[in-house]
């Protein structure tokens, strides 16, 4: 089952698909050489938007939840990728500790933890879940609506290691994006692998830095394929020193929005695109679809309601928003079950392992779909994303569409590896 595009099947996106399929050997070799030089994030997920005239990532998550939305058919891919990732980092690994988010009663999220536990258990590890939440003071079993359960145990910090009672892991998997900062309990660990590293958390990470890296990657990839990198890259800028509550910095934000809209209009004119351009203003750090608004005209910012200001001013864990990324809005022209949809690609190590369509029946083609009311339909992996059907008519083959998503997802993952190298506090600096 592949969603239909509401644009004609002979649009630029099919030309892009054709170019990607024709260049498959060169693309795979290019990725192979990149992974010889750069280390992929341990795991990641990428939100992709297909506008019919361009295909681009709009968000990259380095602590992906939602693993429970992958189908049983995808599990072997995930298990093999987990084996490869662990073998590369700690071949003798025996025990793995998962540190989840602190909102312990969200059963949708806990289903994701159970799925991660299953994947790494099948990869040959003893896996337990250790909570750093103050609420978890003793072993707590939470029963889930699907009949499964998850056991959360309070973590124990010795002088230099982190573990549980009678459980000493060599590898600690963070499924907590550290929006509120890195707790001291996770710092200065001795001979334990923390995956992803602390500097992948939102107290360090910035979306603008990620998309700066992605722009660099997309330019090089565009040169490889002989295409305009704009077709796979959302333009962006950013604005600092804002206070949405008292209006500080709003003039600067309006100016940046106006400048980016002008650039987008220029591109639309170049390609004969009749759609009305828009930008998306997002908190430069943080996740869960909070601190996001669509802007079609810089003048709209002058009349923001108090409710809109409040929504933009604070994100997850009560973090105030002072810096934003202003990103070229990418329409989604995909539909699933008559609802607006976007693909989300899941990766572990350097491998695409699956994904799903995020759908929202109450949102428009130019709105954020990562919001209450969204639902998920697994990507139909009749064939691996690595095995496109060469010779099939562009736009007609699900594996070909998924392969294209996988290429864009891996480009964003490569950008994340560049980003993590640049922010690594332990990296050697040469003059």
């Amino acid at each position: 089952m592949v969603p239909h595009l509401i644009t004609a099947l002979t649009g630029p996106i099919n030309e892009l698909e054709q170019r990607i399929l024709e260049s498959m050997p060169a693309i795979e070799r290019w990725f192979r050489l990149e992974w010889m030089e750069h280390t992929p994030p341990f795991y990641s997920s990428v939100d992709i938007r297909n506008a019919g005239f361009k295909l681009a990532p709009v968000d990259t998550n380095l602590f992906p939840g939602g693993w429970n939305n992958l189908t049983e058919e995808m599990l072997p891919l995930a298990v093999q990728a987990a084996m490869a990732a662990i073998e590369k980092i700690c071949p003798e690994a025996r025990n793995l500790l998962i540190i989840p988010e602190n909102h312990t009663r969200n059963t949708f999220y806990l289903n994701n933890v159970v799925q991660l536990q299953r994947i790494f258990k099948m990869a040959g590890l003893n896996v337990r879940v250790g909570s750093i939440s103050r609420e978890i003071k003793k072993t707590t079993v939470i029963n889930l609506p699907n009949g499964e359960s998850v056991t959360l145990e309070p973590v124990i910090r010795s002088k230099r290691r982190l573990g549980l009672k009678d459980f000493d892991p060599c590898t600690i998997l963070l499924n907590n994006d550290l929006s509120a900062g890195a707790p001291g309990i996770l710092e200065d660990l001795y001979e334990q692998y923390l995956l992803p590293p602390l500097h992948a958390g939102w107290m360090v990470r910035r979306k603008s830095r990620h998309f700066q890296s992605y722009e660099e990657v997309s330019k090089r990839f565009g040169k490889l394929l002989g295409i305009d990198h704009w077709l796979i890259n959302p333009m962006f800028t950013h604005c600092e020193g804002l206070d949405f509550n008292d209006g500080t910095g709003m003039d600067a934000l309006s100016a940046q929005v106006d400048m980016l809209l002008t650039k987008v209009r220029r591109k639309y004119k170049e390609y004969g695109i009749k759609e009305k351009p828009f930008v998306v203003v997002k908190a430069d750090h943080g996740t869960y679809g909070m601190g996001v608004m669509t802007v079609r005209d810089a003048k709209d910012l002058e009349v923001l309601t108090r409710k809109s200001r409040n929504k933009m001013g604070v994100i997850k864990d009560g973090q105030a928003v002072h810096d934003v990324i202003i990103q070229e809005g990418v329409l989604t022209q995909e539909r699933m079950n008559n609802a607006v949809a976007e693909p989300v690609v899941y990766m572990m190590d350097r491998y695409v392992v699956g994904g799903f369509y995020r759908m929202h029946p109450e949102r428009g083609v130019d709105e954020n779909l990562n919001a209450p009311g969204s639902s998920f339909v697994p990507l139909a992996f009749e064939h691996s994303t690595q095995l496109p059907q060469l010779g099939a008519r562009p736009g007609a083959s699900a594996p070909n569409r998924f392969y294209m998503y996988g290429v864009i997802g891996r480009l964003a993952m490569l950008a994340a590896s560049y980003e993590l190298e640049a922010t690594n506090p332990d990296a050697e600096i040469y003059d």
Side-chain angles (χ1 to χ4, degrees), residues 170-415:
C170 74
T171 308
I172 297 163
L173 180 65
L174 276 179
N175 197 239
N176 181 319
D177 64 21
L178 308 176
S179 290
I185 198 169
L186 296 177
E187 295 177 344
D188 302 319
L189 297 174
Y190 178 68
E191 291 187 347
Q192 283 182 307
Y193 296 93
L194 188 64
L195 306 169
L198 289 180
H199 66 277
W202 284 119
M203 72 284 179
V204 172
R205 196 170 178 237
R206 293 294 177 267
K207 293 174 187 175
S208 53
R209 191 183 287 123
H210 173 74
F211 280 99
Q212 189 176 2
S213 296
Y214 183 81
E215 186 169 30
E216 182 187 338
V217 167
S218 67
K219 281 179 179 175
R220 291 177 50 235
F221 187 76
K223 194 173 178 183
L224 176 76
L225 263 62
I227 61 168
D228 178 355
H229 76 282
W230 177 75
L231 294 171
I232 56 170
N233 176 51
M235 293 190 285
F236 77 97
T237 182
H238 74 290
C239 192
E240 300 176 348
L242 299 170
D243 190 318
F244 282 95
N245 290 318
D246 67 13
T248 301
M250 295 303 286
D251 288 346
L253 177 60
S254 291
Q256 293 283 6
V257 165
D258 197 43
M259 182 181 72
L260 188 59
L261 280 169
T262 301
K263 284 184 178 178
V264 178
R265 283 189 201 102
R266 214 172 284 141
K267 274 293 180 186
Y268 277 26
K269 188 176 180 183
E270 180 187 336
Y271 281 91
I273 295 160
K274 305 299 183 191
E275 305 284 354
K276 184 176 172 63
F278 66 100
V279 298
V280 179
V281 179
K282 309 179 192 179
D284 205 14
H285 68 292
T287 183
Y288 283 87
M290 301 173 78
V292 180
M293 67 177 171
T294 299
V295 182
R296 296 167 188 83
D297 191 309
K299 291 176 184 171
D300 296 346
L301 294 169
E302 296 171 14
V303 290
L304 277 185
T305 64
R306 170 58 59 184
K307 185 178 178 184
S308 297
R309 287 179 188 272
N310 290 344
K311 275 187 175 181
M312 284 302 298
V314 179
I315 55 170
K316 186 186 167 200
D317 292 333
Q319 297 295 298
V321 176
H322 297 299
D323 304 338
V324 297
I325 179 173
I326 304 143
Q327 192 177 63
E328 174 192 348
V330 182
L331 296 165
T332 177
Q333 299 283 36
E334 306 231 28
R335 289 280 191 280
M336 284 289 282
N337 305 334
N338 295 319
V340 173
E342 66 186 8
V344 184
V345 173
Y346 273 62
M347 290 158 292
M348 194 171 290
D349 194 57
R350 58 184 180 154
Y351 305 103
V352 175
V353 297
F356 52 80
Y357 290 103
R358 181 187 286 120
M359 306 183 307
H360 205 303
E362 295 165 18
R363 292 280 169 125
V365 296
D366 59 354
E367 291 184 292
N368 171 37
L369 305 188
N370 187 7
S374 61
S375 58
F376 310 99
V377 173
L379 288 169
F381 275 72
E382 300 157 39
H383 305 272
S384 163
T385 52
Q386 307 297 328
L387 296 174
Q389 294 178 332
L390 301 176
R393 182 169 57 87
S397 161
N400 287 357
R401 177 83 65 83
F402 299 154
Y403 177 74
M404 191 165 63
Y405 294 160
V407 167
I408 300 298
R410 285 184 288 164
L411 290 174
M413 174 171 55
L414 179 59

